[in-house]
Amino acid sequence: PPPPPPPAPPPPPPKAQAPPGAAIIGRAVSTGYLSGCLVYLDANSNGKLDADEQMYTTDKFGGFSLESAAGGDVRVDASRSVAGSEACADSFTGIAPGVMSFASAGVKPGTGHVVTALTTVAKVIDREDSQSRVKEVLGIPSAVDFTSTDPFAALAAGGDGAKELLVATTLVTNLVSTLTSLLEKAAGGDAAAAESHVTRALAAQIVDASGIAAGARRMRTLLGRPEERSHHRRLTSSSAFDLSSEETVKSLADASVQNAVAAGTVASANAPSSATTAAVAKLSSASATVLKTDIEAASTPEAIIASAAAVSAVMQGSEVKTAVANAGGGGGGGSSSALATLDQLADPSTMKANVASAKETVSVDLPKAPPPPPPPPPP
């Protein structure tokens, strides 16, 4: 008889796992999870991926794992022009992210890290109290740690402050996307430079606003009678940093333009005009108003997340980004037809209709919670 077949080769050894505490594990978040996007450990903080630095492509829930015993800055390159991010998408909207670069500073090995537009702004602020300043100005409860809180999972689990975190994350991400589009043509198509000027303007105004808020608290403490404290609170509340306010957004847009001109990224003659920044502020404010109205009307966490995703699909979608870029224009003022298009998109009924249409296309898929631990063995 023929000899028996040789035994099957042994299975390959399991892939070595980083020992506990020797990896940075987390999620990359835009206005949905960042799927198929390049994440890397910027160990030397030079803002680019070097040959010896750890990298990872995110899964559909934005998940990443970077082996590291020391930690460092974590960066996400969400631009599809970057090698490794060609398929990068917002998992809820299915479109390319409107923000190209996300970062979180000084991340230590361990689990539960989150990289978002908020961590990016906090990194630009670059102070020990960066996170507390961002939270105070954007209305996020002080107990929420936005460097380790997934806003979607927290909301689904009924976490305190999760709704406020989701709103702030959505508003900031959409605003950075919109103002980057405003500057892009005037910057000769250098969207990365345009985005950096926007993020710096936002960080600077958050620092200023948090200083005003701190001064107001000290003044209320010094005021003796309750009616005097209440009066001062009313006086200072009007200066709150409200990203649904046209005044606040126009101030940020103008500051972004000034940053770009001062850096030489945009020629003064090509800078978007005051009329253009006002039109963009009106559009941004209209979207923020719909966001807040829809979220208040939503009855479930999933409906809240879908509302935020729908507004983001509109504001980061090609129609709005193209209209804003055309208005920003590189010609100084933006044509009257480009401004008219912005005005039409900012019309409340148009914005509501566009967001309602986007709700039909967004798909909210959240990671499953881990199963409960097994019961202890009987004695």
Side-chain angles (χ1 to χ4, degrees):
K15 185 178 179 180
Q17 299 293 314
I24 296 171
I25 300 171
R27 299 192 190 280
V29 171
S30 174
T31 47
Y33 294 116
L34 286 168
S35 171
C37 309
L38 175 68
V39 182
Y40 65 94
L41 180 64
D42 187 12
N44 58 6
S45 300
N46 67 350
K48 62 181 182 180
L49 175 62
D50 296 316
D52 60 342
E53 291 177 333
Q54 289 286 314
M55 57 181 286
Y56 197 96
T57 301
T58 57
D59 63 25
K60 70 174 185 175
F61 298 123
F64 64 84
S65 178
L66 301 166
E67 292 186 13
S68 172
D73 296 347
V74 174
R75 292 186 176 272
V76 183
D77 271 340
S79 170
R80 289 183 173 178
S81 64
V82 172
S85 279
E86 295 90 349
C88 182
D90 182 305
S91 65
F92 294 171
T93 66
I95 63 177
V99 176
M100 296 177 298
S101 180
F102 298 83
S104 187
V107 181
K108 302 298 184 185
T111 62
H113 300 289
V114 179
V115 184
T116 69
L118 300 185
T119 64
T120 306
V121 172
K123 184 182 186 309
V124 174
I125 292 173
D126 192 25
R127 299 170 60 126
E128 288 187 6
D129 62 349
S130 291
Q131 182 175 183
S132 62
R133 285 177 178 264
V134 172
K135 289 191 292 189
E136 178 172 39
V137 169
L138 296 181
I140 302 169
S142 59
V144 175
D145 183 350
F146 63 66
T147 68
S148 62
T149 303
D150 173 344
F152 315 121
L155 187 62
D160 291 339
K163 183 164 72 172
E164 291 85 352
L165 177 61
L166 175 66
V167 170
T169 302
T170 303
L171 289 175
V172 169
T173 308
N174 287 342
L175 183 60
V176 172
S177 171
T178 301
L179 297 187
T180 298
S181 295
L182 172 69
L183 290 176
E184 186 173 355
K185 282 193 175 181
D190 190 345
E195 185 173 287
S196 70
H197 296 311
V198 172
T199 308
R200 285 198 301 112
L202 181 56
Q205 292 208 11
I206 284 175
V207 170
D208 289 345
S210 62
I212 292 171
R217 285 197 307 275
R218 288 193 295 271
M219 182 61 73
R220 289 198 295 270
T221 300
L222 292 172
L223 292 171
R225 292 179 297 176
E227 61 270 22
E228 289 176 330
R229 294 197 297 269
S230 177
H231 175 66
H232 190 266
R233 185 178 293 109
R234 288 195 300 272
L235 290 178
T236 56
S237 66
S238 62
S239 62
F241 193 79
D242 180 6
L243 291 182
S244 64
S245 156
E246 289 185 42
E247 181 181 2
T248 299
V249 176
K250 186 178 189 313
S251 175
L252 282 165
D254 289 337
S256 301
V257 172
Q258 291 163 10
N259 285 349
V261 170
T265 305
V266 171
S268 181
N270 289 338
S273 69
S274 180
T276 302
T277 58
V280 170
K282 181 179 178 182
L283 172 64
S284 181
S285 175
S287 73
T289 299
V290 171
L291 171 69
K292 291 186 175 183
T293 300
D294 279 10
I295 282 180
E296 288 305 316
S299 58
T300 65
E302 292 74 15
I304 291 173
I305 296 169
S307 293
V311 171
S312 301
V314 172
M315 293 306 292
Q316 297 180 41
S318 59
E319 182 180 20
V320 165
K321 287 180 71 67
T322 299
V324 172
N326 287 341
S335 68
S336 58
S337 62
L339 294 179
T341 299
L342 289 187
D343 193 57
Q344 181 182 9
L345 289 169
D347 177 78
S349 59
T350 302
M351 181 62 70
K352 288 179 183 177
N354 287 342
V355 171
S357 178
K359 283 182 183 177
E360 302 299 320
T361 66
V362 300
S363 176
V364 174
D365 187 14
L366 303 179
K368 300 291 187 291

